[in-house]
Amino acid sequence: YSEMYFDDQSLHAPAARHHASYVFTLLMDTDLVWQPDGLQRDGPAVRAEAHVRIEARLRASSAPFAVVSGDGEARLAAAIAALRALESQAR
């Protein structure tokens, strides 16, 4: 959001260093109905733009990640499947 609203990229380098310590990232898709939180979220268009930017950063970093989609149990099953695939690759 800092990049989107203020053209501030100063958090990218420290975030990338921190993220490098993660083994895997589950990136939640934007397929669930957007709901305002009453504080700072601007809407589905901003959410979609943020998602695109985050996914682009993950791809550029070559960090292992999976996009998780679905509703309820399907979303949980997709997350578990992504983690199991990672586990089987590690063997």
Side-chain angles (χ1 to χ4, degrees):
Y1 286 98
S2 187
E3 177 184 327
M4 289 171 47
Y5 289 113
F6 308 113
D7 196 27
D8 176 6
Q9 298 186 15
S10 65
L11 298 175
H12 290 293
R17 284 191 300 275
H18 179 77
H19 190 258
S21 68
Y22 297 155
V23 173
F24 194 68
T25 299
L26 296 174
L27 177 61
M28 299 301 111
D29 205 348
T30 58
D31 57 332
L32 298 179
V33 175
W34 180 84
Q35 295 182 12
D37 66 5
L39 298 173
Q40 63 184 10
R41 307 296 183 255
D42 288 335
V46 174
R47 174 180 72 167
E49 181 181 350
H51 187 273
V52 166
R53 289 174 185 242
I54 292 167
E55 187 170 357
R57 291 253 171 224
L58 287 170
R59 289 190 190 286
S61 73
S62 300
F65 75 98
V67 178
V68 177
S69 303
D71 193 8
E73 291 297 319
R75 197 175 195 89
L76 176 61
I80 291 169
L83 294 172
R84 286 190 175 141
L86 174 70
E87 182 182 43
S88 66
Q89 288 175 359
R91 289 182 189 165

